[in-house]
Amino acid sequence: MSQRILGVDIGSYSIKIAEVEQKFRHFELVGFYEQPLVVVEGQPWEAAISAALMKLSEEYNLPKDHIYAALSGQVMAFRQITLPFGDFKKIDTTIEFEMENYVPLPLDELLIDYQILFSSKTQSNILIGYTRTREMVRLMTAFSGADLDPRFVGAEPIEMAHLLKLGMIQPEGAFCLLDMGHEKTNVMIFSGQQLAYARSIMVGGRCLTQAVAEALKIPHSEAEKMKTELGDVGNGSEDMDAMTQQIANAIKGALQSFIIQLRQTLLSYQENQGQAVQAILLCGGTSRLIGMDQYLSSQVRMNVSFADCLDAPFNKLADATWCRPVVPMALCLAYRGVIGVGLKDIQFCRGEFSYKGEMREIGVWAKQVAVMMVISALFILGTFFTSYFTLRGRVKAQQAKIAAITATILPDLPPKSRAKTSTVLSALDGKISEMKDRQKKMEEEVTLSVMEVLKGISSTMPPREQLTMDINELTLVSKRVRLQGDTNSFEAIDLIKNGLSQSPLFKNISTGNVRKGPKGEVKFDMSFDLVDGEEGGESRGT
């Protein structure tokens, strides 16, 4: 049975929803929807979010049972710490005490969770995410206003790491993923497929629009339109007309603050991890600005390209071109619903913010169980009364089958006793005891143990002054002995073989795989048979 999962990306410019259909062994991206936010003056932020969510839900008939969301990096902070131990329980009890040293706010005003980036017995590297409780209250209020209840609320930069699990082609070595939004840019640095660093830079599309508005002295709404239509920060911006050049200069000026913080982040990662970032991948609405990849590449002096997570078999969208830059966050949240939530994931839907639908589901489930129990009880009673009169015939039929099988297995058993279960079981117990006695006798016939073979080998060897031999492995299977060892020379192998040939215990002696070892020793394999009358099970010694 398929399940529809929604990943809800709540941005400051628009709401994006990715709809995933999870089937038995795979999932498909079947829908992506975007609704710009309309904030009325005097209206709280939560009301605008609720209105947009409600409109999308009603217009596209979206399901309400499996919703996954994340807190914006704009209202979160992250701290990476190292602890001198790796025990999960100890980490869990230590995190809040550690955070008291870093956060200038009372801990009872914060929601704190963490993700273990690396752990061993002696050390663990922890990424801690925290936010004010009131931010979570605002988000949950926005969802409840649209009659929605998310099962999971994580942290945007952390959830973006799921892009790598979706089959997206990634650069070699360490690389940076930039999610350029309207009010902030999430920065995530990966070492291979492991998230190693996350932060948010409070520069986004709104800052660029404001810079254009101030440069041209025009309203913000008109500046947004001109930025979208005429904004170009690519390498060919010098050949533009005066108006376009003025817009490009305003955008570049606003980006300088972002460039400085990005350089500092990359340098800090290199100093702390001893590994330089090799490339940058772009996504997010602001990354759609013409020439953004070229401009960033020229400023940070490294390869910059666009992240494409839709070039995969799970993408079933009829037209995916328009949404490629803005789909990653919503898609990652929907994918979170596919893989589930682990105990060590950053998840803020806990305690008072827990998913309330579970209680409703338990109530519905309890009613269904009660109805099923009543139906089952009636069915059992009916079956009992209807089956009572035919039970004797079935018992006789089973007894006849038992008698037939017993006649095959125990032909010596009298016919009258074959249908009696107790008699059959007693006879089978006797047969089992007889087989155990035979097995015991066979085990007692083993006359040569591994230690006796070793003693026999030792008695045939020349004195240690003539040769040195170490047996690394000896295998005794039936009457065949195989050993692996090393000695001090190739001539010593002939001495060993000649010595074994003189023993009355061994015959058919052969050597093989004679070679020089890394320390100058001569390694060899040797096998031989025990003389008739020496029998063994399978034994092994080293």
Side-chain angles (χ1 to χ4, degrees):
M1 184 177 179
S2 62
Q3 187 177 75
R4 295 167 67 193
I5 300 171
L6 300 184
V8 182
D9 175 15
I10 298 181
S12 55
Y13 179 77
S14 65
I15 303 294
K16 280 83 67 178
I17 296 180
E19 183 180 4
V20 162
E21 186 173 357
Q22 183 181 10
K23 300 184 178 180
F24 179 57
R25 289 187 177 178
H26 68 285
F27 72 96
E28 296 176 348
L29 176 63
V30 296
F32 181 76
Y33 320 103
E34 183 176 14
Q35 176 63 41
L37 291 177
V38 179
V39 180
V40 179
E41 187 176 353
Q43 184 186 53
W45 173 83
E46 300 92 310
I49 299 295
S50 298
L53 288 171
M54 192 175 299
K55 183 175 181 179
L56 286 171
S57 179
E58 293 175 352
E59 183 173 352
Y60 298 102
N61 191 28
L62 300 178
K64 299 182 178 183
D65 296 331
H66 298 274
I67 297 175
Y68 293 78
L71 282 168
S72 169
Q74 185 177 355
V75 299
M76 290 197 64
F78 298 92
R79 174 73 63 172
Q80 192 166 334
I81 64 172
T82 300
L83 299 177
F85 47 81
D87 183 73
F88 291 160
K89 292 184 178 179
K90 196 171 181 180
I91 291 173
D92 199 51
T93 57
T94 305
I95 291 298
E96 289 195 4
F97 295 106
E98 286 289 328
M99 289 302 293
E100 289 180 348
N101 300 323
Y102 301 108
V103 181
L105 295 171
L107 293 185
D108 57 3
E109 295 182 8
L110 301 176
L111 289 178
I112 301 173
D113 207 347
Y114 65 93
Q115 179 170 319
I116 300 175
L117 301 179
F118 165 82
S119 69
S120 64
K121 291 183 178 180
T122 58
Q123 185 176 330
S124 56
N125 193 7
I126 313 296
L127 181 64
I128 303 174
Y130 55 97
T131 184
R132 290 179 181 269
T133 305
R134 68 189 184 195
E135 299 297 340
M136 186 65 175
V137 171
R138 294 179 66 200
L139 181 67
M140 298 302 287
T141 301
F143 274 106
S144 63
D147 195 24
L148 301 175
D149 186 11
R151 290 174 178 261
F152 171 88
V153 174
E156 278 187 354
I158 306 301
E159 295 306 308
M160 281 292 285
H162 294 312
L163 274 184
L164 306 186
K165 301 176 184 177
L166 294 170
M168 184 189 74
I169 298 176
Q170 64 187 65
E172 295 183 0
F175 66 96
C176 177
L177 178 63
L178 295 182
D179 180 15
M180 305 185 72
H182 188 57
E183 291 191 346
K184 80 337 182 151
T185 297
N186 290 325
V187 181
M188 295 134 288
I189 299 178
F190 297 87
S191 179
Q193 289 201 350
Q194 179 66 44
L195 177 65
Y197 183 85
R199 68 164 296 192
S200 294
I201 298 176
M202 304 313 297
V203 177
R206 184 189 294 273
C207 297
L208 308 186
T209 302
Q210 186 62 34
V212 173
E214 293 175 357
L216 300 182
K217 296 180 174 50
I218 57 177
H220 189 277
S221 57
E222 187 177 345
E224 176 69 24
K225 182 178 179 181
M226 297 191 72
K227 179 194 74 174
T228 303
E229 296 178 354
L230 302 178
D232 186 348
V233 292
N235 296 330
S237 59
E238 291 77 6
D239 301 328
M240 303 172 182
D241 58 64
M243 174 68 73
T244 307
Q245 185 68 55
Q246 192 175 1
I247 294 173
N249 291 338
I251 294 174
K252 289 179 180 179
L255 284 172
Q256 285 309 302
S257 161
F258 170 75
I259 296 295
I260 292 172
Q261 294 184 66
L262 178 60
R263 287 173 178 167
Q264 291 172 344
T265 300
L266 300 178
L267 182 60
S268 174
Y269 174 80
Q270 182 175 351
E271 291 177 349
N272 293 331
Q273 303 297 327
Q275 183 183 24
V277 175
Q278 301 297 323
I280 294 177
L281 296 179
L282 293 180
C283 64
T286 302
S287 70
R288 291 184 286 191
L289 194 66
I290 298 174
M292 180 62 76
D293 55 333
Q294 299 175 14
Y295 180 70
L296 290 180
S297 179
S298 66
Q299 294 297 307
V300 298
R301 299 188 181 281
M302 67 176 62
N303 182 45
V304 178
S305 58
F306 291 97
D308 187 1
C309 58
L310 295 183
D311 188 16
F314 65 78
N315 178 22
K316 302 302 179 182
L317 299 180
D319 179 16
T321 304
W322 70 274
C323 65
R324 286 182 187 272
V326 294
V327 73
M329 186 71 255
L331 178 59
C332 287
L333 289 169
Y335 183 68
R336 164 63 75 182
V338 173
I339 64 175
V341 182
L343 294 176
K344 301 306 175 184
D345 293 317
I346 292 182
Q347 147 77 311
F348 294 110
C349 273
R350 291 175 178 157
E352 62 179 303
F353 302 110
S354 297
Y355 174 61
K356 305 302 186 298
E358 291 180 353
M359 298 305 297
R360 294 192 294 269
E361 290 176 358
I362 291 174
V364 173
W365 178 81
K367 291 179 181 179
Q368 292 175 347
V369 170
V371 171
M372 291 301 297
M373 289 179 65
V374 172
I375 294 174
S376 298
L378 294 174
F379 177 77
I380 291 171
L381 289 174
T383 303
F384 174 77
F385 287 114
T386 56
S387 301
Y388 176 76
F389 298 101
T390 59
L391 186 57
R392 290 182 181 180
R394 293 181 181 179
V395 170
K396 290 181 179 180
Q398 291 298 321
Q399 288 177 340
K401 290 181 180 179
I402 292 174
I405 295 171
T406 305
T408 304
I409 301 174
L410 303 171
D412 298 332
L413 196 65
K416 291 184 179 180
S417 302
R418 293 174 184 171
K420 295 181 180 180
T421 306
S422 58
T423 306
V424 173
L425 291 176
S426 178
L428 288 174
D429 287 339
K431 285 288 185 181
I432 292 172
S433 298
E434 182 181 343
M435 295 301 294
K436 287 183 177 179
D437 292 339
R438 290 183 182 179
Q439 181 181 1
K440 186 175 181 181
K441 290 180 180 179
M442 292 177 63
E443 291 174 351
E444 290 174 352
E445 293 176 357
V446 177
T447 60
L448 191 60
S449 67
V450 173
M451 289 302 300
E452 291 171 334
V453 173
L454 288 172
K455 289 179 181 179
I457 295 173
S458 177
S459 65
T460 64
M461 294 297 102
R464 284 189 75 86
E465 293 78 11
Q466 296 184 21
L467 67 83
T468 301
M469 182 181 73
D470 292 323
I471 296 178
N472 300 324
E473 184 175 331
L474 185 144
T475 306
L476 175 58
V477 180
S478 187
K479 294 185 292 182
R480 187 69 173 169
V481 179
R482 296 182 178 85
L483 64 85
Q484 296 179 354
D486 53 67
T487 184
N488 54 348
S489 67
F490 291 99
E491 292 78 7
I493 296 175
D494 294 331
L495 293 175
I496 296 169
K497 185 175 181 181
N498 292 334
L500 294 175
S501 300
Q502 297 174 8
S503 172
L505 298 175
F506 314 126
K507 64 180 181 179
N508 299 331
I509 301 163
S510 61
T511 59
N513 196 19
V514 180
R515 70 267 183 206
K516 273 283 188 178
K519 298 181 179 179
E521 75 276 17
V522 178
K523 294 183 175 292
F524 66 92
D525 297 345
M526 186 170 291
S527 61
F528 49 87
D529 295 327
L530 302 179
V531 298
D532 292 340
E534 304 298 344
E535 192 74 15
E538 183 170 346
S539 304
R540 191 175 184 87
T542 57

